[in-house]
Amino acid sequence: MAGFNDASLIQVIAVPAVCLLISFLGYGSQLVFQASTLDPGPPSRRETIVFNGLLLILWYTYFKAVTVDPGRYVFPEVVEAEGRWCKKCSAPKPLRSHHCRHCARCVPKMDHHCPWTRNCVSMTTFPHFLRFLVWTNLTLWTLGLLLWQRFYALWESRHLPAYLGPSLPSLTSLALVSLVWFVTSAALGIMLATTIKSWIFNTTMIEGWELDRHEAIADRAGRDWWDVVGPDGEKLRFEKIEFPYDIGFFANMSQAMGTSNPFMWFFPLAGNPTVAKDGKGPGWTWEENGFNRIEGLWPPPDPDKLRRAGRTWPAARRNYEAELQQAYISTDSLGAADLTPQERKSAFLKRQEADLKRQRQLMAELEEVEDYDMLDEDIEGHRDAAVGGGGWINSDGDRLCDYGVDEEAEQEEAEDDAQDEDVPLAELLRRRKIRQKDGED
C-alpha cells in the first residue's frame, strides 16, 4: 500500500481498470460458458438471471462508492481555535477527522483514501464501500460456483479420450478466467474481512494504525516517553488510553451505516450518514464508552512529535511577551531619528548575530533528536530518522501517509510554536500590529 495512492499512473487508470476487471469476469466468463464446449453447457436461465442481477447491483454500489462525496465541514465565518487545528484548511479539525492530501480537505471519520475508487472511505462513503465489497464477493462466489461446475465435469470425464472433451481454446479460456477469479476473490475477500472487523469494532484503518503505535509504546512500559518534556518545561508521563469509540458491536455497526435497521445495512439503494451542519451533531462529536478518565483523549499523543516540538527547544522557553515589551521600550526610548547610521548598523549586526546563534542551537538539538531516532529501532514498527520523515511504521510496513493523510496538516500547535524560533522581532512586531489593527476594526 505504501506509495500506491501517489502513483500518477494508478490515479489515472484505477477506476477504468476496475471497470475492465468487472466486465472481464462478469461478461467475459458468460461468453466462455455460452460459446465453449464445456460441460455441463451454458448456465441455466435461473443462473443467468441471478448472476446478471448481482452484476447490476455490483455496478451500482461501485458507482456510489466512487461518486458519493466523502463529506466536508462547513464552519461559521468566525472560528475559535479550540482543540486540534488543521494548518492546510486553516480551520478546527473535529475528532476522528484527518486532512486527505488527495481530497485536499479534512474528511470526517477518514478511514483511508482508496486508490481503486479514487475516493476517501469516510463517514459518508463507508456504507457504500462496504456494500460494494459485500455484493462483489457474493458475485465472485456465484461465479466460483459456475466455474466449479465446469471443473467438476472435467474431473468426471478425465478417463475419456481427449478428442471427446472440450477444445483447447475452451480450456485455455476457462483457465484464464479461473486464474483472474482466484486472485480477485482472494484480494477482495481479505479486504471484506478487514473492513467488517473495522465495522464491528468501530475503528478506521488510521485509528488501527494509531492503536498499533500506542500498544507498541505500552509494551515498552512507556519508555519512549522518558525524555518528553512539554512546552512549560514539565516532564510528560505516558498514559495508557483505551480506544473510546467502541460502544458495543450493534451500536458500532448502526452508527457506521447511519441506521439501526439491519435490513437496510446491505440494501443497495440505502443511504449513508451525513455531516451535521450545526457543528454539534454527527461528524463533529462522537459517543465514547467512558473507559478513560476523561473524554477526548484520542488519538494518543505521538512522543516523537512532542519530543521534537518541546523537549529542550529554545522555542518552548522563549518569552515572546517579554521580548516584544522590551522591543517596544527600546523603540520608544531610542527613535530611529536619534540613532546614527553607525549605531543602526551595529544594532542590526547584534540582532543578526543573536538570530544566527539561536539557529545554530536549534540545528544542534535537531541533530540530537535525529541521533536518538536512528538508534531507537528495536521495536516492531520502528520510527524513521527525523531527516527521512514518515514517522512510525506498523507491522504491515505502513506509515500514516500511506492511508492518504496529509501529515503536514497533522502537526500539533506545539510544533508551530517551535517553528517560530527563527522569526525576528521585527516580524513579530509587524504581526502584533496587524492583530491590534484588526481588533480596532
Side-chain angles (χ1 to χ4, degrees), residues 115-352:
W116 303 114
T117 62
R118 292 191 63 184
N119 199 5
C120 266
V121 179
S122 66
M123 170 186 168
T124 60
T125 61
F126 178 84
H128 302 293
F129 183 75
L130 177 61
R131 291 176 194 130
F132 165 66
L133 290 178
V134 169
W135 289 102
T136 300
N137 277 274
L138 286 175
T139 307
L140 287 170
W141 297 341
T142 303
L143 176 58
L145 177 61
L146 296 175
L147 292 171
W148 166 253
Q149 292 173 353
R150 276 121 192 105
F151 277 107
Y152 183 75
L154 286 173
W155 177 257
E156 288 293 309
S157 60
R158 66 188 182 277
H159 298 300
L160 295 177
Y163 68 88
L164 295 177
S167 63
L168 182 60
S170 298
L171 291 174
T172 304
S173 301
L174 179 65
L176 180 60
V177 171
S178 300
L179 178 62
V180 176
W181 168 86
F182 177 78
V183 174
T184 306
S185 298
L188 289 177
I190 294 173
M191 191 179 299
L192 176 63
T194 56
T195 303
I196 290 179
K197 179 182 176 182
S198 298
W199 179 35
I200 293 174
F201 290 97
N202 201 14
T203 60
T204 64
M205 291 183 68
I206 295 173
E207 290 167 346
W209 181 91
E210 294 169 339
L211 271 169
D212 288 344
R213 183 187 64 189
H214 191 59
E215 291 295 334
I217 297 173
D219 290 342
R220 290 168 51 84
R223 281 180 288 168
D224 284 5
W225 286 66
W226 69 272
D227 64 340
V228 178
V229 179
D232 57 357
E234 294 292 329
K235 182 176 176 59
L236 299 178
R237 296 183 179 275
F238 171 75
E239 177 182 2
K240 183 69 168 66
I241 299 174
E242 299 295 333
F243 184 69
Y245 303 121
D246 184 357
I247 54 178
F249 75 94
F250 186 79
N252 293 340
M253 299 165 80
S254 300
Q255 182 188 88
M257 304 305 285
T259 175
S260 58
N261 184 358
F263 296 102
M264 297 297 293
W265 290 350
F266 302 112
F267 183 59
L269 301 179
N272 54 267
T274 56
V275 181
K277 300 185 181 300
D278 57 2
K280 297 180 181 180
W284 300 80
T285 58
W286 300 92
E287 181 182 353
E288 298 193 10
N289 53 30
F291 288 162
N292 296 314
R293 56 182 176 82
I294 58 174
E295 293 187 352
L297 291 179
W298 196 269
D302 183 353
D304 288 335
K305 289 183 180 180
L306 293 176
R307 184 182 297 111
R308 296 186 181 113
R311 180 166 61 119
T312 55
W313 286 22
R317 304 189 302 268
R318 188 174 175 187
N319 191 336
Y320 291 109
E321 294 294 332
E323 291 185 37
L324 289 170
Q325 184 178 4
Q326 182 63 34
Y328 278 123
I329 294 174
S330 300
T331 304
D332 293 338
S333 59
L334 293 175
D338 299 330
L339 296 176
T340 64
Q342 188 64 28
E343 290 174 336
R344 287 199 296 270
K345 181 178 179 181
S346 177
F348 172 78
L349 291 176
K350 289 181 178 179
R351 291 195 301 271
Q352 191 178 47

Side-chain angles (χ1 to χ4, degrees), residues 428-440:
L428 294 174
L429 285 169
R430 185 187 68 82
R431 295 180 184 179
R432 170 165 287 195
K433 289 179 181 179
I434 292 176
R435 288 196 295 267
Q436 290 177 345
K437 183 178 179 180
D438 292 341
E440 292 175 357

